[in-house]
Every structure is written in structure tokens, then in C-alpha cells.
Amino acid sequence: MGGDFAAVGALDGPLARLHARIPLGMRVGLGPMREACVAAGHPEEGLACVHVAGTNGKGSVCAMVESIARAQGLRTGLYTSPHLCRFAERIRLDGEPIDDLRLAGLLERALDIGPELSFFEVATLAAFVAFQEARPDIVVLEVGLGGRLDATNVIPTPRAAAVTRIALDHADRLGPRLVDIAREKAAIAKPGLDIVVGDSSPEVRAAIDEVARSHGATTSGIEGTTVPGAIGLAGEHQRENARIAAALGARIGASRDAVRQGIASVRWPGRLERVGRFLLDAAHNPDGAEALGRYVRSLALPPDDVALVFGVLADKDWPPMLDALAPLATTRCYVAPAAASRRSADPAAMAARHTGHVVDGTASALSRFDGGRSGDGHGERGGCPSLVVVAGSIVLVGEARGLLLGLPRDPPVAL
């Protein structure tokens, strides 16, 4: 991913410079990003974009739309965040992470253009320049945080846009209520744009509609949209995401056959992804944990045959997440995922809420379940559970995926 092993070293210097911007966090505000785009020659202009905001599902929708576009024969760009294993995953051309040597040059240029930009703003500027140079037919942009003041929102009116499922997350930045969060995300609206909106409560939909109208935009639901075939991603919750993607696909001119093929062939690592006995899922808020719990229950496995490896970052509302997942597994291991950007929640507090083993690191937790037996006999049945769920943080899932598949990894950054 992101180039061969020999090229990985090319990113060391740019990534070190980029990581020095982490203390700025994921800044909300468009002023610095707009100034940087001017200095870079407006790389955000002239791109045919699909812009996707939302709390949960926006990454999956972006992956589906990009897959649909390729099935239609279009050249594509895709920008998502954060990365699982390699930074290059954030910027993709025609479905593949950008080459490390090329990425190194893009990051250096963006860092030099915007010495005051945050980590996420630099990454976004680098993506815009990459797409300006590659000239893909369609660019799919995932909003990083919120929408109104997100760095991606400097783009002019896109070809299409969507707001996916709204749930409680980043309440300190976006507001304490679902309607507050919905208003922030709906503010990707632009004059003349019709935004596709996922299934929402009446209150949330009214808030989205109000913001859209204030920006000269309109909204459309997905009530009449169907998925014309199989979905390449597991989980019942992906049906709604697929309907949103199908609606967006139609708006970029994709045929029904391309929509069907793209949704069926989509791949989005770390989302209900099976790697041997391990189930990796990037659920990192209560709503996502509930969706993961529904999927695991659909497998009809007894708790004795399920283990949970769980770890979260400190700013997440982890108690309801754990309440949703802990009853599914008799064996539970709690770890502290290591991210350069944010602290981890205390695994001991998790063990106090739902009995389990505090484990020193993701590798140690995974090793307990390798080779067909529990590594130290902690399983209730003495044998290894047939399913080991790894969840709670995208950082944790990325580390686990890298370890299980032997992938090279850049430092995790939850921005």
C-alpha cells in the first residue's frame, strides 16, 4: 500500500514535519485553508467533486461512490481520513494509495505553502494538489470533522453531496444534540446543490433542511432509492449507505449496471473485515458499536465462542460502547491504542465496568488468540473463541490489521 518498501523512507522527513503540526489538532475554520489554496494556485477549483459528510457511514459511502465511478470507467480520486496503516491511504488515485515518492513531494509543497496549517489542513491541501495534477474525472471527498468549518469545505459547488447518518460524536466541537451536529454537517450545502440525506429522525431532517435552504440548496431523501444487487461490505447498516451511494452514483452519471457493480465490488478495510478468526471494525462511537453489536448477534454465536479486544481514545464516550459489546463476549481484553494525536482511555476503568483482562498492547492481545487456542488459558472454555472482535478505535483496528497482515505502518494519527 502506498508504494513499495524501498519508497517508504521517502516519507520519513515529510511525515516528521507533518507530525509537528499535530498540536494544532483538527482546527475548525476555513480562513487558513482558503489562504493556502490561494497560495497554491487554487487546486480545489476545477475538480468535479462528490462531498460526503455525516457521523457514521461517510467513509463507506465514499468508498462505494468511488467504486461506482471506476465501474463506470471514470478515473477517480478519493480523499478520506484517518488512515489505518499508511498515510498514503488517505489520498487514492484510481483506487490505489498514492505512491510514496509522489506523496513526499506533495506534503513538502503543502508544508512550505502553509506554515501555519494544521495536520489535517496540510493533508487536505496535498490531496487537492494531487488531484489537480492527476486530473481524475471525479473526486470523492470525505469531510474530516463536522462540515461547516471543515478544511474540505473550501471547494466550490460539487457535482453531488450527501449527509449520512447523524449520531453523537465530537460533541465538544459540534454540539451536544443531534440537531446541533446535523446543522454543522449540513453546512457543506452550496447554492443550487441538492444534498442526498440518509434516513433521519424528523428533528434531524428538519435541521438539515433548514441549513440547506439558508445556503440556497435543497435536500432529497433516499426513500425511493434501491440497491440493485449485492453489497460488498458486511452489515445491515451498509444497506442505507449503499442507497446513499446509489443516489450519488446516479448524479455523477453512472449507469444502473455500474452502480450495481461498484457497490458489489467495493472494498473498505477495517469495516466488519474478517482476517482469519478476527473481525476488525472501526466502530468508534456508541452508534457504531450498536451497529457492530447487531452484526455479531446476527452470527448467532454464544458468548463463550466470542472474544473482544477493545480500546478507545480518551475523548470518546466509551461506556455505552462497551455496554453494547461486552455482553457478546465471555473473554475480554482491554488495551490502550497508541495515537500520536490523542490520549487513550484507561483500560483498567473498562475492566472495572465489564470484567476483563488489561493487556499491555495490541500485539499481546492478539497473540492470545493466535494458533487455535487461548494464549494463556484465559478463555472460559479453555479453547480459542472462533470469533475475536477488535473494535473501539480506528487506531486500534489499524494497528491490529497491520500486525495480522504483516503490513508496513506509519505512525497512527486520529485526525
Side-chain angles (χ1 to χ4, degrees), residues 71-90:
Q72 181 67 22
L74 301 177
R75 297 180 59 245
T76 63
L78 175 64
Y79 178 58
T80 61
S81 60
H83 59 274
L84 283 175
C85 293
R86 298 293 319 288
F87 183 91
E89 297 166 14
R90 296 174 182 241

Side-chain angles (χ1 to χ4, degrees), residues 8-30:
V8 172
L11 274 174
D12 290 348
L15 283 181
R17 290 184 63 195
L18 181 58
H19 287 175
R21 308 284 180 94
I22 288 173
L24 292 173
M26 188 177 281
R27 179 167 50 200
V28 287
L30 299 183

Side-chain angles (χ1 to χ4, degrees), residues 186-237:
I188 63 170
K190 304 285 192 305
L193 182 64
D194 186 69
I195 300 174
V196 178
V197 181
D199 292 336
S200 309
S201 70
E203 296 79 13
V204 165
R205 179 60 185 271
I208 293 172
D209 288 349
E210 178 187 4
V211 171
R213 285 194 301 269
S214 72
H215 286 72
T218 56
T219 67
S220 295
I222 55 172
E223 294 79 9
T225 304
T226 59
V227 181
I231 302 173
L233 303 179
E236 185 63 26
H237 59 285

Side-chain angles (χ1 to χ4, degrees), residues 74-343:
L74 301 177
R75 297 180 59 245
T76 63
L78 175 64
Y79 178 58
T80 61
S81 60
H83 59 274
L84 283 175
C85 293
R86 298 293 319 288
F87 183 91
E89 297 166 14
R90 296 174 182 241
I91 306 173
R92 294 175 182 255
L93 296 171
D94 295 324
E96 294 297 327
I98 192 167
D99 176 80
D100 282 347
L101 292 174
R102 188 175 185 182
L103 176 58
L106 290 167
L107 287 178
E108 292 283 11
R109 180 178 172 187
L111 287 159
D112 291 341
I113 287 173
E116 304 303 322
L117 294 182
S118 69
F119 178 100
F120 185 74
E121 289 164 341
V122 170
T124 304
L125 182 61
F128 287 158
V129 174
F131 300 143
Q132 180 190 50
E133 293 177 352
R135 299 184 178 277
D137 300 309
I138 199 77
V139 171
V140 184
L141 298 175
E142 179 190 14
V143 168
L145 177 66
R148 180 173 64 95
L149 299 176
D150 185 76
T152 63
N153 204 29
V154 298
I155 61 170
T157 302
R159 286 272 300 276
V163 175
T164 67
R165 183 173 177 82
I166 302 297
L168 290 174
D169 201 4
H170 300 293
D172 58 326
R173 299 284 194 95
L174 306 179
R177 302 176 302 163
L178 291 179
V179 293
D180 299 322
I181 296 170
R183 289 189 181 102
E184 289 292 320
K185 295 183 184 292
I188 63 170
K190 304 285 192 305
L193 182 64
D194 186 69
I195 300 174
V196 178
V197 181
D199 292 336
S200 309
S201 70
E203 296 79 13
V204 165
R205 179 60 185 271
I208 293 172
D209 288 349
E210 178 187 4
V211 171
R213 285 194 301 269
S214 72
H215 286 72
T218 56
T219 67
S220 295
I222 55 172
E223 294 79 9
T225 304
T226 59
V227 181
I231 302 173
L233 303 179
E236 185 63 26
H237 59 285
Q238 294 292 359
R239 297 204 64 79
E240 178 182 346
N241 294 333
R243 290 165 67 202
I244 296 171
L248 292 173
R251 294 185 180 201
I252 62 171
S255 68
R256 187 168 177 82
D257 187 60
V259 170
R260 177 195 58 76
Q261 182 181 338
I263 291 176
S265 62
V266 65
R267 297 294 178 266
W268 192 227
R271 282 71 180 178
L272 292 179
E273 180 183 16
R274 289 295 293 260
V275 181
R277 73 177 71 251
F278 297 91
L279 176 68
L280 310 181
D281 192 71
H284 57 282
N285 54 44
D287 186 73
E290 289 285 353
L292 171 58
R294 288 192 295 271
Y295 176 76
V296 174
R297 284 193 296 274
S298 75
L299 302 178
L301 294 172
D304 281 357
D305 207 20
V306 180
L308 175 66
V309 177
F310 186 82
V312 298
L313 299 180
D315 58 350
K316 295 297 181 179
D317 185 16
W318 64 262
M321 297 171 62
L322 188 55
D323 291 347
L325 299 176
L328 303 174
T330 297
T331 303
R332 308 175 194 118
C333 294
Y334 302 119
V335 300
S341 51
R342 281 142 56 194
R343 294 185 302 106

